[in-house]
Amino acid sequence: MKYVVFILVFFSSERVISQDLISVASTFLNDKNYIEAKSSIDEAFEKTTLVDNPGAWFMKARIYHEILLSNDRNLEQFKQNRNEFVGTIVEAYNKTIALSVRTSNFNVLAKNQIEILWAYGINEGQRLFQAQAFDKAIEAFEIAKITKPSESRAYISTAVSALYAGKYQLAIDNYLAVKDIDDLPRDGYDGLILAKRNLRVSDQELLEVVGDARFDYPNHVPFIIEEVRTLIRLDRLDAAESVLNTAVKRNPNDARLILRQADLFDIIFKDAYINGEPERSERYFEMASTNYERFLNRNALHFAANYNYAVMINEQANRVYTRINLMSNEEYEMRGRESEEIGHDWTRKALPYMEKAWELKPGDTKVMQALEVFYKRLKLDDKLAALNGN
């Protein structure tokens, strides 16, 4: 019986001591003496009697929370592992919630403090991001991530900050983390694709990411174009054409798809000729021409379309000139000049598009070199002199 009394007295006295330490910690907290407040609450938690006390957990959370927000350099010693420190705060608030009834003050206050801590991480991160302090913004967004790990916003914000900081793997990790808890938004896929590109992953790996983006957003034109570009780099021209044909059927008036299809047909036009398929090459030339002209009728000031169309037409001229160069003297006498005129006709057709490209981007080296060739072929000496500043 004496042992039982002793045990009861021991635990009773331990509980009283713990409660006294909590009161002392509360007093120090009110006085903003955070070092002593932390020391008191840590000492109180060395007593096993507090593990089921929501008030004690709440007091611990509040003291640690205030230390986190304080700019006092003397408190930095406690925050050397910032994420771990934030985790301790969140754990204490969650313990408060778990150990108290839903309608109690401790329960309500702890839930409010969780929201406040999360909002602090988000707002501080946004402030630092706007100030272009991207590394510090990442640290701030980590607070929000730890506070509410199932909330996707902090992961997205961390990923964007990591992109701007050049930390591409970190960006990828956070974008992928979003996919584990929520749908990745379109701009999230944009960032994920950009990060993968900057890490110079293989085109096959990039295609897998683009495929996921297309699965979630099948009609988003930029993802369609990204998939086509990647397939082209993988030399999967048939697959690229299939993707584009389907997209154009669904969006027949989308100028971006019309131009991308023209560019693809242009590539196949050249590829088929190299592979000894002249009829296929000519068929794709006609298809590409139709799309280029359709696009330029509505977008006459598009530099790349003008330049690429001119180069494609000039490829037809070059093929004629190449055949002429391979002629014997006898063959040249019979049909050489006639063939030259065919080549010149192709050059004449290409010329206005290349001149428009020059008008849109005067001084472009590639355009200037092309125009010099065109003017010499067609003996347009005045234009050649003007081009060279004479």
Side-chain angles (χ1 to χ4, degrees):
M1 186 66 179
K2 291 182 180 180
Y3 290 116
V4 173
V5 171
F6 175 77
I7 291 171
L8 289 174
V9 171
F10 173 80
F11 279 107
S12 176
S13 62
E14 186 178 64
R15 185 177 297 275
V16 170
I17 293 170
S18 298
Q19 290 294 342
D20 288 344
L21 287 169
I22 294 172
S23 298
V24 170
S26 177
T27 301
F28 282 132
L29 176 62
N30 291 333
D31 293 340
K32 298 185 178 182
N33 187 342
Y34 300 130
I35 292 178
E36 293 299 335
K38 181 180 182 301
S39 177
S40 296
I41 198 66
D42 288 347
E43 184 180 348
F45 266 88
E46 291 175 2
K47 314 297 182 183
T48 58
T49 55
L50 293 184
V51 293
D52 295 325
N53 186 327
W57 283 108
F58 185 76
M59 180 56 62
K60 179 176 181 177
R62 290 295 300 123
I63 292 169
Y64 277 56
H65 194 159
E66 290 298 324
I67 291 173
L68 176 70
L69 300 182
S70 176
N71 293 320
D72 186 344
R73 291 186 177 181
N74 292 322
L75 301 176
E76 289 301 316
Q77 58 180 312
F78 304 126
K79 298 181 281 186
Q80 291 181 357
N81 188 330
R82 189 183 183 89
N83 289 347
E84 183 179 312
F85 193 80
V86 174
T88 301
I89 299 171
V90 174
E91 178 193 23
Y93 281 135
N94 285 333
K95 283 282 190 180
T96 304
I97 295 167
L99 294 170
S100 57
V101 297
R102 186 171 59 85
T103 56
S104 71
N105 285 337
F106 283 134
N107 192 287
V108 172
L109 289 171
K111 288 178 179 177
N112 287 342
Q113 289 300 319
I114 286 279
E115 294 297 326
I116 290 170
L117 183 59
W118 179 84
Y120 167 78
I122 293 293
N123 294 333
E124 183 68 2
Q126 290 176 339
R127 182 188 70 79
L128 291 165
F129 182 87
Q130 292 299 325
Q132 299 186 13
F134 303 121
D135 287 333
K136 290 188 177 297
I138 291 169
E139 292 180 5
F141 289 130
E142 285 293 329
I143 294 174
K145 284 168 56 179
I146 295 167
T147 305
K148 295 170 70 173
S150 61
E151 166 61 56
S152 63
R153 182 177 174 183
Y155 293 91
I156 290 286
S157 298
T158 301
V160 174
S161 300
L163 272 181
Y164 277 85
K167 297 180 175 181
Y168 302 119
Q169 188 57 56
L170 180 62
I172 290 168
D173 293 342
N174 278 273
Y175 282 127
L176 294 180
V178 173
K179 293 184 69 175
D180 290 336
I181 58 178
D182 203 350
D183 293 331
L184 188 62
R186 287 193 320 196
D187 57 358
Y189 273 114
D190 286 333
L192 180 57
I193 291 168
L194 178 59
K196 289 278 188 178
R197 275 209 227 101
N198 281 315
L199 279 183
R200 302 183 184 279
V201 302
S202 68
D203 285 323
Q204 185 58 50
E205 182 177 339
L206 184 61
L207 184 62
E208 292 173 6
V209 176
V210 177
D212 288 343
R214 288 268 284 122
F215 182 83
D216 288 347
Y217 304 96
N219 297 317
H220 187 51
V221 172
F223 292 157
I224 295 170
I225 292 174
E226 186 67 38
E227 182 177 24
V228 169
R229 285 173 175 162
T230 309
L231 287 167
I232 290 171
R233 289 196 299 273
L234 288 167
D235 200 29
R236 295 173 56 184
L237 301 184
D238 290 343
E241 183 179 3
S242 177
V243 170
L244 265 180
N245 288 346
T246 301
V248 170
K249 285 179 182 178
R250 292 175 178 170
N251 307 275
N253 297 314
D254 193 296
R256 295 166 296 177
L257 293 175
I258 293 169
L259 178 59
R260 185 65 260 181
Q261 197 175 45
D263 291 339
L264 176 61
F265 291 161
D266 185 355
I267 292 169
I268 297 175
F269 154 69
K270 297 181 177 73
D271 186 73
Y273 188 80
I274 292 172
N275 291 325
E277 301 174 280
E279 292 182 2
R280 185 167 186 257
S281 178
E282 289 304 314
R283 185 169 75 254
Y284 276 90
F285 175 82
E286 294 300 328
M287 292 161 63
S289 296
T290 298
N291 273 31
Y292 275 132
E293 290 177 16
R294 183 182 173 196
F295 177 83
L296 287 168
N297 282 339
R298 289 188 286 167
N299 303 274
L301 303 182
H302 194 283
F303 170 80
N306 278 285
Y307 176 79
N308 290 340
Y309 189 28
V311 169
M312 187 185 78
I313 297 170
N314 187 57
E315 178 67 22
Q316 293 282 38
N318 288 338
R319 292 179 185 181
V320 174
Y321 297 133
T322 297
R323 288 195 294 270
I324 293 171
N325 290 334
L326 295 174
M327 288 180 179
S328 65
N329 291 335
E330 292 79 6
E331 289 176 311
Y332 183 79
E333 287 298 325
M334 290 176 60
R335 59 178 187 276
R337 296 190 184 282
E338 181 182 344
S339 296
E340 274 185 351
E341 194 57 32
I342 294 172
H344 292 346
D345 283 343
W346 283 118
T347 301
R348 291 187 189 98
K349 184 175 181 179
L351 181 58
Y353 298 104
M354 192 62 77
E355 287 181 330
K356 175 58 74 171
W358 181 254
E359 178 185 322
L360 294 169
K361 193 181 286 189
D364 186 275
T365 303
K366 290 183 178 179
V367 177
M368 185 174 186
Q369 290 172 347
L371 284 174
E372 285 179 342
V373 172
F374 290 3
Y375 291 153
K376 287 177 182 178
R377 282 178 179 171
L378 301 176
K379 296 182 171 55
L380 299 174
D381 297 334
D382 290 344
K383 287 191 172 186
L384 180 61
L387 181 68
N388 292 319
N390 298 327

